[in-house]
Amino acid sequence: MAIFRAFFLLVALFGLASCGGLRGYNGPEVTQVLVYKQNRTMYLLHHGEVLKKYDIGLGFAPDGHKAQEGDGRTPEGDYLIDRRNPNSEFHLSVGINYPNATDIARAEARGVSPGGDIFIHGQPNRAKGNKLPRADWTAGCISVRNREIEQIYAMVNDGTPIRIYP
């Protein structure tokens, strides 16, 4: 029995050690995330001070605010980081609380679904390497390189405000 416990403990430790180099973060708190769609940049801020800047990819139809499911647009406006998914179909992902009440009301007025599942994420797990497939390729999410989503995942807490500009 002790051999089995030792074996499972070693397997668990090996599994944790191979989680893509995920490290903790002990720097200044990220108090806001700013995304500028036109410039394809994202900033992690601590009370107005830029901690990190990232080049990003957007939805495959990047112009304009997300209006409905399947439109390929990345939302614009004020949201919150609300969840994280270490078992994503992408390297890692951090959720954005789209749709908000305004998004839902706009979609309902048009008789469409607003969509959902908007994330900041790395590359598809099926992709090789750390290269972006192309500049704007997601279904409405914000994409970064795998090593970058590892930093973002460690630095940004649930409840952090994110503002997405056109």
PDB file of all heavy atoms in Angstrom, residues 79-119:
ATOM      1  N   TYR A  79     -15.808  45.417 -18.551  1.00  0.00           N
ATOM      2  CA  TYR A  79     -16.121  44.067 -18.089  1.00  0.00           C
ATOM      3  C   TYR A  79     -15.234  43.731 -16.894  1.00  0.00           C
ATOM      4  O   TYR A  79     -14.453  44.553 -16.436  1.00  0.00           O
ATOM      5  CB  TYR A  79     -15.920  43.059 -19.232  1.00  0.00           C
ATOM      6  CG  TYR A  79     -16.829  43.344 -20.399  1.00  0.00           C
ATOM      7  CD1 TYR A  79     -16.388  44.120 -21.474  1.00  0.00           C
ATOM      8  CD2 TYR A  79     -18.140  42.880 -20.420  1.00  0.00           C
ATOM      9  CE1 TYR A  79     -17.232  44.413 -22.533  1.00  0.00           C
ATOM     10  CE2 TYR A  79     -18.991  43.171 -21.482  1.00  0.00           C
ATOM     11  CZ  TYR A  79     -18.523  43.946 -22.522  1.00  0.00           C
ATOM     12  OH  TYR A  79     -19.364  44.244 -23.561  1.00  0.00           O
ATOM     13  N   LEU A  80     -15.339  42.510 -16.437  1.00  0.00           N
ATOM     14  CA  LEU A  80     -14.490  42.005 -15.353  1.00  0.00           C
ATOM     15  C   LEU A  80     -13.876  40.681 -15.775  1.00  0.00           C
ATOM     16  O   LEU A  80     -14.489  39.913 -16.522  1.00  0.00           O
ATOM     17  CB  LEU A  80     -15.314  41.760 -14.076  1.00  0.00           C
ATOM     18  CG  LEU A  80     -15.929  42.967 -13.391  1.00  0.00           C
ATOM     19  CD1 LEU A  80     -16.834  42.518 -12.250  1.00  0.00           C
ATOM     20  CD2 LEU A  80     -14.847  43.912 -12.878  1.00  0.00           C
ATOM     21  N   ILE A  81     -12.685  40.401 -15.258  1.00  0.00           N
ATOM     22  CA  ILE A  81     -12.126  39.060 -15.368  1.00  0.00           C
ATOM     23  C   ILE A  81     -12.910  38.237 -14.353  1.00  0.00           C
ATOM     24  O   ILE A  81     -12.984  38.606 -13.181  1.00  0.00           O
ATOM     25  CB  ILE A  81     -10.612  39.053 -15.048  1.00  0.00           C
ATOM     26  CG1 ILE A  81      -9.845  39.966 -16.016  1.00  0.00           C
ATOM     27  CG2 ILE A  81     -10.071  37.628 -15.027  1.00  0.00           C
ATOM     28  CD1 ILE A  81      -9.951  39.601 -17.479  1.00  0.00           C
ATOM     29  N   ASP A  82     -13.529  37.150 -14.791  1.00  0.00           N
ATOM     30  CA  ASP A  82     -14.432  36.436 -13.869  1.00  0.00           C
ATOM     31  C   ASP A  82     -14.147  34.949 -13.681  1.00  0.00           C
ATOM     32  O   ASP A  82     -14.800  34.298 -12.872  1.00  0.00           O
ATOM     33  CB  ASP A  82     -15.881  36.627 -14.299  1.00  0.00           C
ATOM     34  CG  ASP A  82     -16.233  35.929 -15.601  1.00  0.00           C
ATOM     35  OD1 ASP A  82     -15.304  35.545 -16.357  1.00  0.00           O
ATOM     36  OD2 ASP A  82     -17.437  35.778 -15.879  1.00  0.00           O
ATOM     37  N   ARG A  83     -13.195  34.397 -14.409  1.00  0.00           N
ATOM     38  CA  ARG A  83     -12.910  32.971 -14.248  1.00  0.00           C
ATOM     39  C   ARG A  83     -11.612  32.637 -14.966  1.00  0.00           C
ATOM     40  O   ARG A  83     -11.104  33.419 -15.743  1.00  0.00           O
ATOM     41  CB  ARG A  83     -14.056  32.110 -14.764  1.00  0.00           C
ATOM     42  CG  ARG A  83     -14.306  32.242 -16.258  1.00  0.00           C
ATOM     43  CD  ARG A  83     -15.719  31.772 -16.637  1.00  0.00           C
ATOM     44  NE  ARG A  83     -15.995  31.856 -18.040  1.00  0.00           N
ATOM     45  CZ  ARG A  83     -16.358  32.946 -18.698  1.00  0.00           C
ATOM     46  NH1 ARG A  83     -16.441  34.100 -18.082  1.00  0.00           N
ATOM     47  NH2 ARG A  83     -16.615  32.907 -19.987  1.00  0.00           N
ATOM     48  N   ARG A  84     -11.114  31.459 -14.686  1.00  0.00           N
ATOM     49  CA  ARG A  84      -9.919  30.974 -15.377  1.00  0.00           C
ATOM     50  C   ARG A  84     -10.113  29.499 -15.668  1.00  0.00           C
ATOM     51  O   ARG A  84     -10.804  28.807 -14.942  1.00  0.00           O
ATOM     52  CB  ARG A  84      -8.654  31.252 -14.566  1.00  0.00           C
ATOM     53  CG  ARG A  84      -8.682  30.774 -13.155  1.00  0.00           C
ATOM     54  CD  ARG A  84      -7.681  31.470 -12.233  1.00  0.00           C
ATOM     55  NE  ARG A  84      -7.916  32.890 -12.193  1.00  0.00           N
ATOM     56  CZ  ARG A  84      -7.083  33.816 -12.697  1.00  0.00           C
ATOM     57  NH1 ARG A  84      -5.941  33.467 -13.199  1.00  0.00           N
ATOM     58  NH2 ARG A  84      -7.385  35.083 -12.662  1.00  0.00           N
ATOM     59  N   ASN A  85      -9.508  29.054 -16.748  1.00  0.00           N
ATOM     60  CA  ASN A  85      -9.678  27.673 -17.166  1.00  0.00           C
ATOM     61  C   ASN A  85      -8.317  27.061 -17.502  1.00  0.00           C
ATOM     62  O   ASN A  85      -7.777  27.288 -18.574  1.00  0.00           O
ATOM     63  CB  ASN A  85     -10.608  27.590 -18.387  1.00  0.00           C
ATOM     64  CG  ASN A  85     -10.896  26.170 -18.791  1.00  0.00           C
ATOM     65  OD1 ASN A  85     -10.392  25.219 -18.206  1.00  0.00           O
ATOM     66  ND2 ASN A  85     -11.711  26.011 -19.811  1.00  0.00           N
ATOM     67  N   PRO A  86      -7.781  26.251 -16.576  1.00  0.00           N
ATOM     68  CA  PRO A  86      -6.500  25.607 -16.851  1.00  0.00           C
ATOM     69  C   PRO A  86      -6.640  24.430 -17.808  1.00  0.00           C
ATOM     70  O   PRO A  86      -5.645  23.948 -18.338  1.00  0.00           O
ATOM     71  CB  PRO A  86      -6.038  25.131 -15.473  1.00  0.00           C
ATOM     72  CG  PRO A  86      -7.313  24.908 -14.727  1.00  0.00           C
ATOM     73  CD  PRO A  86      -8.265  25.964 -15.230  1.00  0.00           C
ATOM     74  N   ASN A  87      -7.880  23.992 -18.073  1.00  0.00           N
ATOM     75  CA  ASN A  87      -8.131  22.849 -18.959  1.00  0.00           C
ATOM     76  C   ASN A  87      -8.789  23.290 -20.259  1.00  0.00           C
ATOM     77  O   ASN A  87      -9.552  22.550 -20.861  1.00  0.00           O
ATOM     78  CB  ASN A  87      -9.002  21.817 -18.241  1.00  0.00           C
ATOM     79  CG  ASN A  87      -8.327  21.307 -16.990  1.00  0.00           C
ATOM     80  OD1 ASN A  87      -7.157  20.957 -17.004  1.00  0.00           O
ATOM     81  ND2 ASN A  87      -9.061  21.295 -15.894  1.00  0.00           N
ATOM     82  N   SER A  88      -8.483  24.484 -20.683  1.00  0.00           N
ATOM     83  CA  SER A  88      -9.048  25.066 -21.886  1.00  0.00           C
ATOM     84  C   SER A  88      -8.589  24.305 -23.121  1.00  0.00           C
ATOM     85  O   SER A  88      -7.563  23.630 -23.109  1.00  0.00           O
ATOM     86  CB  SER A  88      -8.575  26.519 -21.972  1.00  0.00           C
ATOM     87  OG  SER A  88      -8.900  27.103 -23.197  1.00  0.00           O
ATOM     88  N   GLU A  89      -9.329  24.463 -24.233  1.00  0.00           N
ATOM     89  CA  GLU A  89      -8.864  23.902 -25.507  1.00  0.00           C
ATOM     90  C   GLU A  89      -7.720  24.747 -26.060  1.00  0.00           C
ATOM     91  O   GLU A  89      -7.119  24.416 -27.064  1.00  0.00           O
ATOM     92  CB  GLU A  89     -10.004  23.795 -26.518  1.00  0.00           C
ATOM     93  CG  GLU A  89     -10.599  25.112 -26.950  1.00  0.00           C
ATOM     94  CD  GLU A  89     -11.775  24.952 -27.882  1.00  0.00           C
ATOM     95  OE1 GLU A  89     -12.876  24.691 -27.383  1.00  0.00           O
ATOM     96  OE2 GLU A  89     -11.576  25.086 -29.106  1.00  0.00           O
ATOM     97  N   PHE A  90      -7.427  25.857 -25.370  1.00  0.00           N
ATOM     98  CA  PHE A  90      -6.273  26.693 -25.671  1.00  0.00           C
ATOM     99  C   PHE A  90      -5.278  26.494 -24.530  1.00  0.00           C
ATOM    100  O   PHE A  90      -5.606  25.897 -23.514  1.00  0.00           O
ATOM    101  CB  PHE A  90      -6.695  28.150 -25.811  1.00  0.00           C
ATOM    102  CG  PHE A  90      -7.732  28.318 -26.890  1.00  0.00           C
ATOM    103  CD1 PHE A  90      -9.080  28.300 -26.568  1.00  0.00           C
ATOM    104  CD2 PHE A  90      -7.359  28.446 -28.216  1.00  0.00           C
ATOM    105  CE1 PHE A  90     -10.041  28.414 -27.565  1.00  0.00           C
ATOM    106  CE2 PHE A  90      -8.317  28.560 -29.210  1.00  0.00           C
ATOM    107  CZ  PHE A  90      -9.661  28.541 -28.884  1.00  0.00           C
ATOM    108  N   HIS A  91      -4.062  27.009 -24.687  1.00  0.00           N
ATOM    109  CA  HIS A  91      -3.017  26.732 -23.694  1.00  0.00           C
ATOM    110  C   HIS A  91      -3.503  27.006 -22.272  1.00  0.00           C
ATOM    111  O   HIS A  91      -3.407  26.139 -21.412  1.00  0.00           O
ATOM    112  CB  HIS A  91      -1.769  27.537 -24.031  1.00  0.00           C
ATOM    113  CG  HIS A  91      -0.614  27.276 -23.132  1.00  0.00           C
ATOM    114  ND1 HIS A  91      -0.053  26.023 -23.008  1.00  0.00           N
ATOM    115  CD2 HIS A  91       0.071  28.083 -22.307  1.00  0.00           C
ATOM    116  CE1 HIS A  91       0.935  26.081 -22.132  1.00  0.00           C
ATOM    117  NE2 HIS A  91       1.040  27.316 -21.699  1.00  0.00           N
ATOM    118  N   LEU A  92      -4.022  28.170 -22.009  1.00  0.00           N
ATOM    119  CA  LEU A  92      -4.704  28.562 -20.772  1.00  0.00           C
ATOM    120  C   LEU A  92      -5.708  29.628 -21.176  1.00  0.00           C
ATOM    121  O   LEU A  92      -5.569  30.241 -22.238  1.00  0.00           O
ATOM    122  CB  LEU A  92      -3.732  29.169 -19.755  1.00  0.00           C
ATOM    123  CG  LEU A  92      -2.714  28.265 -19.095  1.00  0.00           C
ATOM    124  CD1 LEU A  92      -1.684  29.109 -18.337  1.00  0.00           C
ATOM    125  CD2 LEU A  92      -3.398  27.295 -18.135  1.00  0.00           C
ATOM    126  N   SER A  93      -6.697  29.897 -20.308  1.00  0.00           N
ATOM    127  CA  SER A  93      -7.613  30.983 -20.624  1.00  0.00           C
ATOM    128  C   SER A  93      -8.119  31.657 -19.364  1.00  0.00           C
ATOM    129  O   SER A  93      -8.250  31.034 -18.311  1.00  0.00           O
ATOM    130  CB  SER A  93      -8.780  30.481 -21.478  1.00  0.00           C
ATOM    131  OG  SER A  93      -9.527  29.503 -20.801  1.00  0.00           O
ATOM    132  N   VAL A  94      -8.375  32.959 -19.511  1.00  0.00           N
ATOM    133  CA  VAL A  94      -8.892  33.810 -18.444  1.00  0.00           C
ATOM    134  C   VAL A  94     -10.179  34.430 -18.978  1.00  0.00           C
ATOM    135  O   VAL A  94     -10.175  35.086 -20.021  1.00  0.00           O
ATOM    136  CB  VAL A  94      -7.861  34.902 -18.083  1.00  0.00           C
ATOM    137  CG1 VAL A  94      -8.421  35.861 -17.052  1.00  0.00           C
ATOM    138  CG2 VAL A  94      -6.553  34.286 -17.599  1.00  0.00           C
ATOM    139  N   GLY A  95     -11.293  34.210 -18.260  1.00  0.00           N
ATOM    140  CA  GLY A  95     -12.599  34.623 -18.756  1.00  0.00           C
ATOM    141  C   GLY A  95     -12.939  36.082 -18.524  1.00  0.00           C
ATOM    142  O   GLY A  95     -12.525  36.690 -17.542  1.00  0.00           O
ATOM    143  N   ILE A  96     -13.721  36.614 -19.458  1.00  0.00           N
ATOM    144  CA  ILE A  96     -14.256  37.979 -19.392  1.00  0.00           C
ATOM    145  C   ILE A  96     -15.769  37.844 -19.255  1.00  0.00           C
ATOM    146  O   ILE A  96     -16.387  37.044 -19.955  1.00  0.00           O
ATOM    147  CB  ILE A  96     -13.884  38.767 -20.668  1.00  0.00           C
ATOM    148  CG1 ILE A  96     -12.357  38.874 -20.783  1.00  0.00           C
ATOM    149  CG2 ILE A  96     -14.557  40.136 -20.693  1.00  0.00           C
ATOM    150  CD1 ILE A  96     -11.866  39.431 -22.103  1.00  0.00           C
ATOM    151  N   ASN A  97     -16.392  38.628 -18.383  1.00  0.00           N
ATOM    152  CA  ASN A  97     -17.813  38.437 -18.091  1.00  0.00           C
ATOM    153  C   ASN A  97     -18.755  39.023 -19.150  1.00  0.00           C
ATOM    154  O   ASN A  97     -19.793  39.581 -18.828  1.00  0.00           O
ATOM    155  CB  ASN A  97     -18.166  38.956 -16.691  1.00  0.00           C
ATOM    156  CG  ASN A  97     -18.216  40.463 -16.608  1.00  0.00           C
ATOM    157  OD1 ASN A  97     -17.530  41.159 -17.346  1.00  0.00           O
ATOM    158  ND2 ASN A  97     -19.018  40.984 -15.692  1.00  0.00           N
ATOM    159  N   TYR A  98     -18.411  38.875 -20.411  1.00  0.00           N
ATOM    160  CA  TYR A  98     -19.326  39.182 -21.511  1.00  0.00           C
ATOM    161  C   TYR A  98     -20.298  38.021 -21.646  1.00  0.00           C
ATOM    162  O   TYR A  98     -19.869  36.876 -21.566  1.00  0.00           O
ATOM    163  CB  TYR A  98     -18.564  39.365 -22.827  1.00  0.00           C
ATOM    164  CG  TYR A  98     -19.503  39.542 -24.002  1.00  0.00           C
ATOM    165  CD1 TYR A  98     -19.955  40.788 -24.357  1.00  0.00           C
ATOM    166  CD2 TYR A  98     -19.972  38.442 -24.709  1.00  0.00           C
ATOM    167  CE1 TYR A  98     -20.844  40.949 -25.400  1.00  0.00           C
ATOM    168  CE2 TYR A  98     -20.867  38.592 -25.753  1.00  0.00           C
ATOM    169  CZ  TYR A  98     -21.302  39.835 -26.081  1.00  0.00           C
ATOM    170  OH  TYR A  98     -22.197  39.991 -27.111  1.00  0.00           O
ATOM    171  N   PRO A  99     -21.575  38.245 -21.837  1.00  0.00           N
ATOM    172  CA  PRO A  99     -22.272  39.505 -22.010  1.00  0.00           C
ATOM    173  C   PRO A  99     -22.700  40.102 -20.669  1.00  0.00           C
ATOM    174  O   PRO A  99     -23.041  39.380 -19.738  1.00  0.00           O
ATOM    175  CB  PRO A  99     -23.498  39.105 -22.827  1.00  0.00           C
ATOM    176  CG  PRO A  99     -23.806  37.709 -22.382  1.00  0.00           C
ATOM    177  CD  PRO A  99     -22.457  37.087 -22.084  1.00  0.00           C
ATOM    178  N   ASN A 100     -22.700  41.431 -20.601  1.00  0.00           N
ATOM    179  CA  ASN A 100     -23.251  42.093 -19.422  1.00  0.00           C
ATOM    180  C   ASN A 100     -24.726  42.399 -19.688  1.00  0.00           C
ATOM    181  O   ASN A 100     -25.261  42.037 -20.749  1.00  0.00           O
ATOM    182  CB  ASN A 100     -22.433  43.336 -19.050  1.00  0.00           C
ATOM    183  CG  ASN A 100     -22.428  44.399 -20.135  1.00  0.00           C
ATOM    184  OD1 ASN A 100     -23.344  44.506 -20.954  1.00  0.00           O
ATOM    185  ND2 ASN A 100     -21.369  45.208 -20.159  1.00  0.00           N
ATOM    186  N   ALA A 101     -25.393  43.046 -18.753  1.00  0.00           N
ATOM    187  CA  ALA A 101     -26.835  43.301 -18.880  1.00  0.00           C
ATOM    188  C   ALA A 101     -27.156  44.121 -20.130  1.00  0.00           C
ATOM    189  O   ALA A 101     -28.158  43.858 -20.818  1.00  0.00           O
ATOM    190  CB  ALA A 101     -27.356  43.999 -17.628  1.00  0.00           C
ATOM    191  N   THR A 102     -26.320  45.099 -20.454  1.00  0.00           N
ATOM    192  CA  THR A 102     -26.549  45.928 -21.642  1.00  0.00           C
ATOM    193  C   THR A 102     -26.416  45.099 -22.914  1.00  0.00           C
ATOM    194  O   THR A 102     -27.230  45.226 -23.841  1.00  0.00           O
ATOM    195  CB  THR A 102     -25.555  47.112 -21.668  1.00  0.00           C
ATOM    196  OG1 THR A 102     -25.716  47.867 -20.462  1.00  0.00           O
ATOM    197  CG2 THR A 102     -25.776  48.001 -22.868  1.00  0.00           C
ATOM    198  N   ASP A 103     -25.402  44.238 -22.970  1.00  0.00           N
ATOM    199  CA  ASP A 103     -25.212  43.375 -24.137  1.00  0.00           C
ATOM    200  C   ASP A 103     -26.408  42.450 -24.329  1.00  0.00           C
ATOM    201  O   ASP A 103     -26.872  42.241 -25.454  1.00  0.00           O
ATOM    202  CB  ASP A 103     -23.941  42.528 -23.983  1.00  0.00           C
ATOM    203  CG  ASP A 103     -22.682  43.367 -23.887  1.00  0.00           C
ATOM    204  OD1 ASP A 103     -22.548  44.347 -24.641  1.00  0.00           O
ATOM    205  OD2 ASP A 103     -21.827  43.021 -23.045  1.00  0.00           O
ATOM    206  N   ILE A 104     -26.899  41.892 -23.240  1.00  0.00           N
ATOM    207  CA  ILE A 104     -28.057  40.980 -23.303  1.00  0.00           C
ATOM    208  C   ILE A 104     -29.292  41.725 -23.798  1.00  0.00           C
ATOM    209  O   ILE A 104     -30.013  41.242 -24.684  1.00  0.00           O
ATOM    210  CB  ILE A 104     -28.298  40.315 -21.938  1.00  0.00           C
ATOM    211  CG1 ILE A 104     -27.125  39.393 -21.594  1.00  0.00           C
ATOM    212  CG2 ILE A 104     -29.623  39.565 -21.919  1.00  0.00           C
ATOM    213  CD1 ILE A 104     -27.103  38.905 -20.165  1.00  0.00           C
ATOM    214  N   ALA A 105     -29.532  42.922 -23.262  1.00  0.00           N
ATOM    215  CA  ALA A 105     -30.705  43.707 -23.671  1.00  0.00           C
ATOM    216  C   ALA A 105     -30.638  44.073 -25.152  1.00  0.00           C
ATOM    217  O   ALA A 105     -31.657  43.978 -25.868  1.00  0.00           O
ATOM    218  CB  ALA A 105     -30.809  44.963 -22.815  1.00  0.00           C
ATOM    219  N   ARG A 106     -29.461  44.469 -25.628  1.00  0.00           N
ATOM    220  CA  ARG A 106     -29.309  44.817 -27.053  1.00  0.00           C
ATOM    221  C   ARG A 106     -29.597  43.606 -27.942  1.00  0.00           C
ATOM    222  O   ARG A 106     -30.257  43.724 -28.975  1.00  0.00           O
ATOM    223  CB  ARG A 106     -27.907  45.329 -27.330  1.00  0.00           C
ATOM    224  CG  ARG A 106     -27.652  46.718 -26.850  1.00  0.00           C
ATOM    225  CD  ARG A 106     -26.246  47.155 -27.213  1.00  0.00           C
ATOM    226  NE  ARG A 106     -25.923  48.428 -26.601  1.00  0.00           N
ATOM    227  CZ  ARG A 106     -24.723  48.817 -26.285  1.00  0.00           C
ATOM    228  NH1 ARG A 106     -23.674  48.052 -26.548  1.00  0.00           N
ATOM    229  NH2 ARG A 106     -24.517  49.985 -25.735  1.00  0.00           N
ATOM    230  N   ALA A 107     -29.057  42.466 -27.549  1.00  0.00           N
ATOM    231  CA  ALA A 107     -29.272  41.257 -28.354  1.00  0.00           C
ATOM    232  C   ALA A 107     -30.739  40.841 -28.327  1.00  0.00           C
ATOM    233  O   ALA A 107     -31.308  40.480 -29.364  1.00  0.00           O
ATOM    234  CB  ALA A 107     -28.377  40.130 -27.849  1.00  0.00           C
ATOM    235  N   GLU A 108     -31.360  40.878 -27.148  1.00  0.00           N
ATOM    236  CA  GLU A 108     -32.778  40.510 -27.042  1.00  0.00           C
ATOM    237  C   GLU A 108     -33.643  41.425 -27.901  1.00  0.00           C
ATOM    238  O   GLU A 108     -34.595  40.975 -28.538  1.00  0.00           O
ATOM    239  CB  GLU A 108     -33.238  40.548 -25.584  1.00  0.00           C
ATOM    240  CG  GLU A 108     -32.755  39.360 -24.784  1.00  0.00           C
ATOM    241  CD  GLU A 108     -33.181  39.410 -23.319  1.00  0.00           C
ATOM    242  OE1 GLU A 108     -33.746  40.431 -22.862  1.00  0.00           O
ATOM    243  OE2 GLU A 108     -32.916  38.406 -22.626  1.00  0.00           O
ATOM    244  N   ALA A 109     -33.328  42.728 -27.929  1.00  0.00           N
ATOM    245  CA  ALA A 109     -34.086  43.679 -28.749  1.00  0.00           C
ATOM    246  C   ALA A 109     -33.991  43.336 -30.234  1.00  0.00           C
ATOM    247  O   ALA A 109     -34.913  43.621 -30.993  1.00  0.00           O
ATOM    248  CB  ALA A 109     -33.590  45.105 -28.500  1.00  0.00           C
ATOM    249  N   ARG A 110     -32.893  42.710 -30.623  1.00  0.00           N
ATOM    250  CA  ARG A 110     -32.704  42.311 -32.026  1.00  0.00           C
ATOM    251  C   ARG A 110     -33.152  40.882 -32.284  1.00  0.00           C
ATOM    252  O   ARG A 110     -33.086  40.399 -33.411  1.00  0.00           O
ATOM    253  CB  ARG A 110     -31.232  42.471 -32.410  1.00  0.00           C
ATOM    254  CG  ARG A 110     -30.793  43.937 -32.380  1.00  0.00           C
ATOM    255  CD  ARG A 110     -29.328  44.150 -32.728  1.00  0.00           C
ATOM    256  NE  ARG A 110     -29.008  43.568 -34.008  1.00  0.00           N
ATOM    257  CZ  ARG A 110     -27.988  42.726 -34.223  1.00  0.00           C
ATOM    258  NH1 ARG A 110     -27.184  42.379 -33.238  1.00  0.00           N
ATOM    259  NH2 ARG A 110     -27.757  42.248 -35.414  1.00  0.00           N
ATOM    260  N   GLY A 111     -33.539  40.161 -31.213  1.00  0.00           N
ATOM    261  CA  GLY A 111     -33.986  38.787 -31.363  1.00  0.00           C
ATOM    262  C   GLY A 111     -32.875  37.795 -31.629  1.00  0.00           C
ATOM    263  O   GLY A 111     -33.080  36.772 -32.289  1.00  0.00           O
ATOM    264  N   VAL A 112     -31.683  38.090 -31.113  1.00  0.00           N
ATOM    265  CA  VAL A 112     -30.527  37.212 -31.318  1.00  0.00           C
ATOM    266  C   VAL A 112     -29.885  36.875 -29.975  1.00  0.00           C
ATOM    267  O   VAL A 112     -30.138  37.523 -28.969  1.00  0.00           O
ATOM    268  CB  VAL A 112     -29.474  37.859 -32.256  1.00  0.00           C
ATOM    269  CG1 VAL A 112     -30.056  38.089 -33.652  1.00  0.00           C
ATOM    270  CG2 VAL A 112     -28.929  39.152 -31.679  1.00  0.00           C
ATOM    271  N   SER A 113     -29.018  35.894 -29.978  1.00  0.00           N
ATOM    272  CA  SER A 113     -28.227  35.552 -28.799  1.00  0.00           C
ATOM    273  C   SER A 113     -26.981  36.440 -28.771  1.00  0.00           C
ATOM    274  O   SER A 113     -26.335  36.619 -29.811  1.00  0.00           O
ATOM    275  CB  SER A 113     -27.793  34.086 -28.853  1.00  0.00           C
ATOM    276  OG  SER A 113     -26.785  33.833 -27.888  1.00  0.00           O
ATOM    277  N   PRO A 114     -26.618  36.974 -27.594  1.00  0.00           N
ATOM    278  CA  PRO A 114     -25.412  37.803 -27.541  1.00  0.00           C
ATOM    279  C   PRO A 114     -24.119  37.000 -27.644  1.00  0.00           C
ATOM    280  O   PRO A 114     -23.052  37.558 -27.858  1.00  0.00           O
ATOM    281  CB  PRO A 114     -25.512  38.477 -26.172  1.00  0.00           C
ATOM    282  CG  PRO A 114     -26.284  37.512 -25.343  1.00  0.00           C
ATOM    283  CD  PRO A 114     -27.273  36.872 -26.297  1.00  0.00           C
ATOM    284  N   GLY A 115     -24.213  35.694 -27.490  1.00  0.00           N
ATOM    285  CA  GLY A 115     -23.010  34.877 -27.456  1.00  0.00           C
ATOM    286  C   GLY A 115     -22.405  34.911 -26.066  1.00  0.00           C
ATOM    287  O   GLY A 115     -23.012  35.403 -25.116  1.00  0.00           O
ATOM    288  N   GLY A 116     -21.219  34.383 -25.927  1.00  0.00           N
ATOM    289  CA  GLY A 116     -20.563  34.337 -24.628  1.00  0.00           C
ATOM    290  C   GLY A 116     -19.233  33.625 -24.752  1.00  0.00           C
ATOM    291  O   GLY A 116     -18.690  33.483 -25.846  1.00  0.00           O
ATOM    292  N   ASP A 117     -18.717  33.167 -23.618  1.00  0.00           N
ATOM    293  CA  ASP A 117     -17.428  32.466 -23.583  1.00  0.00           C
ATOM    294  C   ASP A 117     -16.324  33.280 -24.232  1.00  0.00           C
ATOM    295  O   ASP A 117     -15.578  32.796 -25.093  1.00  0.00           O
ATOM    296  CB  ASP A 117     -17.521  31.082 -24.227  1.00  0.00           C
ATOM    297  CG  ASP A 117     -18.275  30.100 -23.361  1.00  0.00           C
ATOM    298  OD1 ASP A 117     -18.298  30.290 -22.129  1.00  0.00           O
ATOM    299  OD2 ASP A 117     -18.833  29.134 -23.902  1.00  0.00           O
ATOM    300  N   ILE A 118     -16.203  34.523 -23.809  1.00  0.00           N
ATOM    301  CA  ILE A 118     -15.128  35.383 -24.300  1.00  0.00           C
ATOM    302  C   ILE A 118     -13.973  35.297 -23.303  1.00  0.00           C
ATOM    303  O   ILE A 118     -14.164  35.479 -22.102  1.00  0.00           O
ATOM    304  CB  ILE A 118     -15.602  36.842 -24.462  1.00  0.00           C
ATOM    305  CG1 ILE A 118     -16.776  36.914 -25.441  1.00  0.00           C
ATOM    306  CG2 ILE A 118     -14.449  37.743 -24.892  1.00  0.00           C
ATOM    307  CD1 ILE A 118     -16.455  36.482 -26.869  1.00  0.00           C
ATOM    308  N   PHE A 119     -12.785  35.020 -23.810  1.00  0.00           N
ATOM    309  CA  PHE A 119     -11.606  34.793 -22.979  1.00  0.00           C
ATOM    310  C   PHE A 119     -10.396  35.526 -23.537  1.00  0.00           C
ATOM    311  O   PHE A 119     -10.346  35.855 -24.717  1.00  0.00           O
ATOM    312  CB  PHE A 119     -11.255  33.296 -22.940  1.00  0.00           C
ATOM    313  CG  PHE A 119     -12.213  32.452 -22.154  1.00  0.00           C
ATOM    314  CD1 PHE A 119     -13.360  31.949 -22.731  1.00  0.00           C
ATOM    315  CD2 PHE A 119     -11.949  32.154 -20.824  1.00  0.00           C
ATOM    316  CE1 PHE A 119     -14.239  31.161 -22.005  1.00  0.00           C
ATOM    317  CE2 PHE A 119     -12.813  31.367 -20.089  1.00  0.00           C
ATOM    318  CZ  PHE A 119     -13.962  30.865 -20.675  1.00  0.00           C
TER     319      PHE A 119
END
